[in-house]
Amino acid sequence: MMLQLVILIAALIVSGLVFSWLINVVKTTVTTAISIAILLLILQLSFGIGPQQLWQQVTQIPQWIWQTVRSGR
């Protein structure tokens, strides 16, 4: 009986920790998504830069880094 109580308490503690971790992950994900959306909106309205143009630049970053490393700059 005592062992079952200890297991129950341990399971509740682990469940609580996992739940709080999950809440933190979801909160961080939503905050990041909102920040990206605001940044994209500002770029679109201020400079006319669309998501496709931004994505093209982001996909070229590894190539730029590789060229920079190879050229020794």
Side-chain angles (χ1 to χ4, degrees):
M1 182 70 168
M2 183 67 166
L3 181 62
Q4 291 176 346
L5 183 61
V6 171
I7 292 173
L8 176 65
I9 292 171
L12 287 173
I13 291 171
V14 170
S15 297
L17 290 172
V18 169
F19 183 72
S20 66
W21 171 80
L22 180 63
I23 294 298
N24 286 334
V25 169
V26 169
K27 189 169 43 171
T28 302
T29 302
V30 168
T31 303
T32 303
I34 290 172
S35 299
I36 290 171
I38 290 171
L39 178 64
L40 287 174
L41 182 64
I42 291 170
L43 287 172
Q44 178 69 40
L45 295 176
S46 299
F47 303 106
I49 299 172
Q52 294 84 9
Q53 293 169 313
L54 187 62
W55 184 249
Q56 285 176 341
Q57 289 297 321
V58 168
T59 57
Q60 291 176 3
I61 290 174
Q63 180 182 5
W64 176 78
I65 291 172
W66 180 250
Q67 289 175 350
T68 303
V69 169
R70 287 191 62 196
S71 69
R73 286 195 239 171

